Amino acid sequence: MSIGFGDQVAIVTGAGTGLGRSHALELASRGAMVVVNDLHDERTDGPSAAEQVAAEIVELGGLAVANHNSVATPEGGAAIVAAAIEEYGRVDIVINNAGIVRDGSFAKLGVDAITSVLDVHLGAAFYVTQPAFIHMKEQGYGRILFTSSGAGLFGNFGQANYAAAKAGVVGLANVLAIEGARYNIGANVIAPAARTQMNEGLLGDLNDALDPELVTSMAVFLVSSECTLTGEIYSALGGRYARIFTGLTPGWFAGVGARPTADDVADQIESIRAEPGYRVPTDVTTEVAELTRLHGLEQTE
Ligand SMILES: NC(=O)c1ccc[n+]([C@@H]2O[C@H](COP(=O)([O-])OP(=O)(O)OC[C@H]3O[C@@H](n4cnc5c(N)ncnc54)[C@H](O)[C@@H]3O)[C@@H](O)[C@H]2O)c1
């Protein structure tokens, strides 16, 4: 095993089951001290799911502590990060993984389905990551992973709330990659698919192929010190790993001083859309630099 996490502290949200549980177990097996966060259903007897995962880790010789704060509020996010610092003295890794779905076609989507899903996925990405990011800046190291979804990046019928939240975390990761760079803080995104309670019975023929552990391999690499990639999105499902990105086509330039009309745009739409020669901007200045060049202007720093 070359990727190790000795002396590192990881927070994995929603880690009582599914993908988060798998991430937590693998990180711990590689030496990380893990805060296993998940909600505690007070109506059930016995240890919570998070406590069970933490106990499993300890039984295997690792270090873990359960935490039951909700990721969906600023207070909950702060408490999760505080728990890591109180227990283990630092936070090196945050895997934002907790999630819910409240599906419904857009026309029928109620306010509660919209806000609850936005809070657990996109709100939480801020609430948990911000206090951790402040701490990571001070220590000069951090690895942050957001969990997106093909539904958000490519679209899926009946998941407008979930898709918007899952696309939103990409915007946050883009900015954290830029703001975190000088502090050795990496921020990436994973778009997984796996057999979990979230999609039980929905996977058809692929059910057996979609082990959560196959996603964890990519997640664990992305939060390791070996990974210096940042601001990137990786698809991981069923043993296939791929990069997803936002590309910018070369487009069509109307010319300096030109005033193209809607009809001109219509005439040119195929060359505007054409993908050959696309670029993958690393920040917003890429487009500005391109336009500056097209206009024959000097680049200014
Ligand atoms: N399973 C897939 O195919 C798939 C596909 C794309 C994206 N995802 C994403 O991966 C992540 C993990 O999903 P999963 O499939 O393992 O689902 P899961 O339902 O097995 O696990 C999600 C966990 O998050 C916890 N959670 C929910 N709300 C919470 C809150 N407010 N605070 C703390 N914990 C909370 C749940 O209790 C649950 O244990 C989610 O973000 C999901 O949207 C999963």
Side-chain angles (χ1 to χ4, degrees), residues 256 288-300:
V256 177
V288 177
E290 176 72 2
L291 195 66
T292 304
R293 187 185 63 75
L294 287 169
H295 278 262
L297 300 169
E298 289 292 314
Q299 299 265 11
T300 49

Side-chain angles (χ1 to χ4, degrees), residues 13 25 27 39 57 68 71 86 109 155 158 168 181 195 207 216 230 243 265 267 271 273 295 299:
T13 68
L25 283 163
L27 284 168
L39 297 176
I57 289 172
H68 297 123
V71 297
E86 267 162 40
L109 215 50
R195 185 180 60 248
N207 189 71
T216 293
T230 191
R243 183 175 171 209
V265 171
D267 286 344
S271 43
R273 297 183 69 240
H295 278 262
Q299 299 265 11

Side-chain angles (χ1 to χ4, degrees), residues 17 19 37-38 70-71 97 99 147-148 162 166 192-194 196-197 199:
T17 181
L19 285 166
N37 160 266
D38 209 315
S70 172
V71 297
N97 166 83
T147 308
S148 184
Y162 181 76
K166 289 304 203 186
T196 68
Q197 64 173 14
N199 53 24

Side-chain angles (χ1 to χ4, degrees), residues 116-171:
S116 61
V117 169
L118 285 173
D119 285 349
V120 171
H121 294 280
L122 186 53
F126 285 86
Y127 306 144
V128 180
T129 310
Q130 192 183 44
F133 185 84
I134 291 166
H135 179 80
M136 288 170 177
K137 264 179 77 173
E138 279 166 17
Q139 74 189 12
Y141 181 81
R143 294 287 183 268
I144 297 161
L145 187 64
F146 297 100
T147 308
S148 184
S149 164
L153 300 169
F154 308 130
N156 195 24
F157 187 93
Q159 292 202 300
N161 49 355
Y162 181 76
K166 289 304 203 186
V169 301
V170 173

Side-chain angles (χ1 to χ4, degrees), residues 261-286:
T261 63
D263 307 281
D264 295 326
V265 171
D267 286 344
Q268 294 295 332
I269 196 65
E270 287 313 323
S271 43
I272 292 168
R273 297 183 69 240
E275 291 170 16
Y278 70 81
R279 296 211 277 153
V280 183
T282 49
D283 66 32
V284 74
T285 63
T286 302

Side-chain angles (χ1 to χ4, degrees), residues 78-95:
I80 295 165
V81 174
I85 291 168
E86 267 162 40
E87 192 72 27
Y88 299 122
R90 52 189 287 130
V91 184
D92 302 283
I93 295 162
V94 174
I95 300 186

